[in-house]
Amino acid sequence: MQRRRSSWIARGVTRALALVLVSAVLFTGCSRIEPAVDWAPPTWPDAAGVQLVRGDAADDTTAADQASDETGAGAGTEDLNDLGFIENRVRNDALNLSMRYVELPGIHAFNTRVAEVVAAAIASTGGSFVPEVFPVSAGLADRGCVAGSTRWPAARVLSDPLTGPADGRGVAVTCEVTAAYGTIVGIAMRTVAGTPDKITSDTRLTLYADVSSGTVTDGSEMWSADAAPELWTRAIELLRREAGGLSAAPIAEPTKKQLARAARAFEVAQTDADGGAVLTLPPGIAAPELEGLGITKTKTPTPVAVDAETLATWQSEQAGLLQQQFGQPFVGLETWDARQPVNCAIQACVAVTYDDGPTEFTDTLLDTLQSERTPATFFMLGNAASGRPEQVKRAASEGHEIASHTMTHPDLTTLKSSQIRSQVNGAAKILTDLTGIPVTMYRPPYGALNEKVLNAEKLPAILWSIDTLDWKDPGTEALVERSVGVATPGDIILFHDTHSGSVDAAKVVMRGLKDRGFTPVTVTQLFGGSVPSGRVVSG
Amino acid sequence: MTEQEPPLKRGTRNFRGLRATLLILLAVLIVGIGYVVTLGPVHMAQLRAEASDGQRALAIGEHTQITPPVRWVSEPLVRDLIVWPPLPPLKDWSVLVGQEPGVLLYSPDQKLQVEVTLVDEGDVAAFLSDLAPDPDVEPGSDAPAAPARDEVLESGLTVSHVESPREILAVVDTGSGTVGLRATTVGDIDLVEYRPAISQLLEAVRAT
């Protein structure tokens, strides 16, 4: 009996124990809360529409090389620099100054604003500006804007050979195409002063020109009053998240100093193919939200990509009107014309002249001058002009200067006064009748000039300061040495378009002059539009 | 009539029965104690698990609290006291008497888990230095530890936090106590996706 009772107790306890354990496991399993399959982690608020540009996309040397889209809209590419801008470059080592800028043919309002920037840069050097030229190796024929340069670190603008003064300190002006669509073209200009170790000034200006109406809109007018605060707030939020921030506290209202930094980003807004833009905040961004995350001040520019939808909310009404054309192919600039004004007080000007034409070689010469975008002055013979009227008209229509070289190329000092006037004015009348443009000067054949000739003919008698002796057909190398190698600012260089060698050498000559820092001009441009009377040898 | 067993033989049998019973009871006791210190606390915690309604605050110590967002799952925190593989770890059984050290929160998808505890003011530095090692860094390497990040939350409270690819440690000073959070993801899920969720939790810490 006892035995049976003990056995019964043991079995009972064992079964109870097992029951408790199994129940515990099962019950616990049943009590688990199942994971929710329809839940996704939250995202940071206001994350859409704006993002930091990092990695390769933020590389200053590559960002500007992004190809424009198929419609031709886009910004800052080498293709855009080939749109037909008048490209300028000034180097002045005496004042530690380097300037690269463009002008728009026929858009006076734009070119006036550019001239103001240039004048301000010169004035900031504190010195007296005299145009300088350099050896051919200076390579100053590479002119106009440099893609990405308005978004480089300021120190790089000064130190880079493409944009900076000779020893990397002083004043640098550079530019960049920011937009080209429909009839709108945007150019950003930047002036940096100081040394690579200490930047004393860094200012930007963006201009949007409507090439059909000639109107110009300042970049600062393109943005609403809310744009800079919005950009600041979104950029700080992005920087906070990038630095590992976990706070959801709203970003504090920007101070005036912070707003000024944000506003600078709009000065060099770079539109993209989708209607958005990259706005680059300058280095030195500081905010209390970032301090505890290890960012006391940003050391490099902060590019921020803004999509089209967000950008539209930041743009002014004026910008909206311009943006209506976005996506349309750029209509292009006016064809280059030699009449484009040149300021020879800033540019190192030299007048290249061609005598005795027009000839069978003149069309080829005009093609070269068009491709090199260099004006010339043609002293034409009346008889030759009568025989080739189309070339006379072409030269005039492309803006080159046409002047008299007499009817038949006599030595004027051997003629009577009436004959002198007949020779000079006869040719002038033929040329004027063909071109519709009054002839305002002449060149005496052989440079033969005396008091009688000067008294008989009151038009300015234009001689030369450099005779290339091209009539001897010395070859291209010699012609280049005799012109490019010896020219100084204000020179008048003599060639003849009656010699194929001179025409063949024209491209090399013009390129060489520009490499030295010269800007070829007409005789009238050399004298600022007012040629002195009497005997004229140089400017 | 049954013949009665001799007294000696009857006594021996009784002793064996008693011994068996005692052994069984001892086994039950051992199993019971084993359960209490290994699986029991975990099961107890799971029994007390509940989904948040986004309104009810959970006490963390006497003077601080946290209000998990809607659908987050909370249960009492059960710590490992001794880990001795291959045996199950010894668990902190204080949950069995309602004295758990903190709260364990799970995101609704249960891929993020966050331990929320009270941290003594003098232990803040030690808490933040107890970061799980970066699996991509060689053990014993000289790579310096990232400094703590300090921020002001939207709630006005200050937070210091450090992180590795697998874990975020944060301490929130409520003025009435310091709340520590240890956030980790389950498996190889990227912690980056859950940063906004962790931010929500930090903002949900308050003084009572």
Side-chain angles (χ1 to χ4, degrees):
Chain A
M1 182 67 101
Q2 292 281 2
R3 181 178 175 183
R4 286 173 66 186
R5 189 165 61 188
S6 297
S7 173
W8 178 84
I9 291 173
R11 281 201 296 275
V13 169
T14 304
R15 287 172 184 165
L17 178 64
L19 183 64
V20 166
L21 284 175
V22 170
S23 298
V25 171
L26 288 178
F27 187 64
T28 304
C30 289
S31 72
R32 282 191 67 86
I33 297 175
E34 291 300 313
V37 296
D38 60 339
W39 182 88
T43 55
W44 296 115
D46 297 330
V50 182
Q51 57 183 327
L52 295 173
V53 179
R54 292 302 193 212
D56 290 343
D59 184 341
D60 288 328
T61 60
T62 59
D65 293 337
Q66 290 166 7
S68 54
D69 68 358
E70 293 177 358
T71 61
T77 71
E78 292 181 3
D79 289 338
L80 292 178
N81 278 331
D82 293 337
L83 288 176
F85 300 113
I86 296 164
E87 299 177 324
N88 298 284
R89 187 168 181 181
V90 173
R91 172 181 159 182
N92 195 291
D93 290 358
L95 299 182
N96 294 319
L97 175 66
S98 168
M99 299 193 289
R100 300 187 72 133
Y101 58 96
V102 295
E103 296 167 292
L104 303 180
I107 312 296
H108 177 70
F110 178 90
N111 298 335
T112 299
R113 293 295 301 275
V114 170
E116 290 170 0
V117 172
V118 168
I122 292 173
S124 72
T125 65
S128 176
F129 184 91
V130 176
E132 281 186 40
V133 292
F134 302 90
V136 169
S137 57
L140 299 176
D142 173 22
R143 301 183 172 191
C145 294
V146 176
S149 59
T150 61
R151 290 165 289 141
W152 291 350
R156 181 182 171 186
V157 174
L158 288 177
S159 63
D160 197 298
L162 285 179
T163 53
D167 61 355
R169 54 186 61 232
V171 178
V173 175
T174 186
C175 64
E176 181 172 9
V177 181
T178 62
Y181 50 84
T183 61
I184 308 301
V185 61
I187 305 289
M189 296 189 71
R190 183 180 185 189
T191 305
V192 178
T195 69
D197 297 326
K198 184 173 169 55
I199 303 299
T200 56
S201 172
D202 186 358
T203 59
R204 289 175 177 82
L205 168 71
T206 299
L207 299 172
Y208 294 88
D210 186 329
V211 299
S212 69
S213 64
T215 55
V216 173
T217 303
D218 198 301
S220 62
E221 298 169 35
M222 299 282 281
W223 308 102
S224 69
D226 295 331
E230 275 285 310
L231 173 64
W232 176 268
T233 301
R234 300 291 290 272
I236 298 302
E237 174 68 14
L238 290 167
L239 288 170
R240 175 166 73 173
R241 296 302 169 220
E242 185 182 64
L246 292 172
S247 169
I251 304 297
E253 289 284 324
T255 62
K256 277 187 184 170
K257 196 173 172 184
Q258 291 169 335
L259 270 182
R261 284 198 178 275
R264 286 177 61 183
F266 292 96
E267 293 169 358
V268 285
Q270 198 80 6
T271 56
D272 63 30
D274 299 321
V278 173
L279 306 172
T280 304
L281 290 156
I285 301 296
E289 294 87 354
L290 303 179
E291 217 169 304
L293 302 174
I295 303 174
T296 49
K297 209 178 261 193
T298 57
K299 294 180 173 52
T300 57
T302 302
V304 177
V306 184
D307 68 11
E309 192 178 339
T310 305
L311 200 69
T313 64
W314 294 355
Q315 289 175 328
S316 65
E317 193 178 324
Q318 177 67 14
L321 293 173
L322 296 181
Q323 282 291 91
Q324 286 175 3
Q325 298 188 49
F326 190 81
Q328 298 174 19
F330 181 54
V331 298
L333 297 171
E334 284 184 14
T335 304
W336 175 82
D337 187 299
R339 282 174 284 246
Q340 175 70 22
V342 178
N343 185 348
C344 291
I346 295 176
Q347 305 284 349
C349 294
V350 64
V352 179
T353 65
Y354 291 89
D355 285 3
D356 298 348
T359 71
E360 60 190 306
F361 307 117
T362 304
D363 270 330
T364 302
L365 177 60
L366 289 172
D367 291 341
T368 300
L369 296 175
Q370 178 72 235
S371 71
E372 292 298 313
R373 296 192 181 151
T374 49
T377 303
F378 291 86
F379 291 96
M380 292 182 171
L381 295 173
N383 283 349
S386 297
R388 294 179 182 273
E390 293 308 315
Q391 287 171 326
V392 178
K393 291 176 184 176
R394 180 189 167 187
S397 70
E398 292 176 3
H400 299 287
E401 191 155 42
I402 310 295
S404 170
H405 195 38
T406 75
M407 287 293 297
T408 59
H409 205 276
D411 179 346
L412 294 177
T413 61
T414 65
L415 302 181
K416 297 176 184 175
S417 296
S418 59
Q419 289 171 317
I420 294 169
R421 284 191 291 274
S422 176
Q423 281 284 334
V424 173
N425 295 331
K429 185 177 185 309
I430 291 171
L431 295 169
T432 300
D433 287 347
L434 285 172
T435 64
I437 301 170
V439 167
T440 58
M441 65 186 79
Y442 78 103
R443 174 169 282 166
Y446 315 107
L449 205 59
N450 57 19
E451 283 303 312
K452 182 175 72 173
V453 175
L454 288 171
N455 288 333
E457 178 51 66
K458 296 303 181 186
L459 286 177
I462 310 301
L463 300 181
W464 53 86
S465 53
I466 294 177
D467 186 352
T468 60
L469 300 174
D470 62 332
W471 53 272
K472 295 184 178 178
D473 280 331
T476 297
E477 192 174 333
L479 289 176
V480 171
E481 282 176 17
R482 294 173 189 178
S483 56
V484 177
V486 299
T488 59
D491 273 335
I492 299 175
I493 304 175
L494 170 62
F495 285 98
H496 298 81
D497 54 331
T498 48
H499 299 278
S500 63
S502 302
V503 171
D504 293 342
K507 186 181 182 75
V508 179
V509 167
M510 295 303 185
R511 191 64 65 88
L513 287 171
K514 289 199 278 188
D515 273 333
R516 289 196 58 201
F518 282 109
T519 297
V521 295
T522 64
V523 170
T524 298
Q525 288 172 335
L526 189 67
F527 290 95
S530 180
V531 180
S533 59
R535 184 172 181 273
V536 177
V537 174
S538 63
Chain B
M1 191 164 130
T2 307
E3 188 177 339
Q4 285 194 335
E5 290 176 342
L8 182 62
K9 197 169 182 183
R10 187 165 61 243
T12 303
R13 193 171 289 113
N14 285 342
F15 175 74
R16 283 205 292 273
L18 181 63
R19 185 176 63 185
T21 301
L22 286 176
L23 284 174
I24 289 168
L25 286 175
L26 183 62
V28 169
L29 185 65
I30 290 172
V31 170
I33 292 173
Y35 177 78
V36 165
V37 297
T38 56
L39 298 177
V42 176
H43 290 164
M44 177 58 74
Q46 288 172 352
L47 275 173
R48 291 169 56 189
E50 57 180 3
S52 171
D53 59 0
Q55 303 291 328
R56 194 170 80 84
L58 304 175
I60 308 295
E62 290 185 12
H63 304 292
T64 57
Q65 65 185 36
I66 186 168
T67 307
V70 175
R71 299 175 75 185
W72 280 65
V73 175
S74 65
E75 64 183 45
L77 178 64
V78 175
R79 287 242 167 87
D80 291 340
L81 291 181
I82 300 176
V83 179
W84 46 14
L87 296 174
L90 272 183
K91 296 289 188 183
D92 177 3
W93 50 270
S94 57
V95 65
L96 299 176
V97 294
Q99 296 295 319
E100 59 272 12
V103 169
L104 181 62
L105 299 176
Y106 290 93
S107 59
D109 61 1
Q110 296 185 19
K111 292 179 182 171
L112 173 73
Q113 68 178 42
V114 183
E115 294 178 6
V116 186
T117 57
L118 200 61
V119 178
D120 289 336
E121 200 172 321
D123 294 336
V124 168
F127 179 86
L128 291 176
S129 65
D130 188 30
L131 196 61
D134 186 342
D136 297 327
V137 175
E138 286 290 327
S141 74
D142 291 334
R149 299 173 179 134
D150 299 315
E151 298 183 84
V152 175
L153 297 169
E154 185 177 19
S155 62
L157 304 179
T158 57
V159 60
S160 292
H161 55 95
V162 293
E163 64 184 79
S164 69
R166 294 276 180 254
E167 190 172 61
I168 289 178
L169 299 179
V171 290
V172 179
D173 183 3
T174 68
S176 302
T178 303
V179 176
L181 290 87
R182 180 187 297 269
T184 55
T185 51
V186 175
D188 288 333
I189 294 168
D190 199 339
L191 195 58
V192 167
E193 296 177 32
Y194 289 86
R195 296 182 71 87
I198 296 168
S199 173
Q200 283 185 342
L201 282 181
L202 293 174
E203 297 289 352
V205 174
R206 293 285 188 278
T208 53

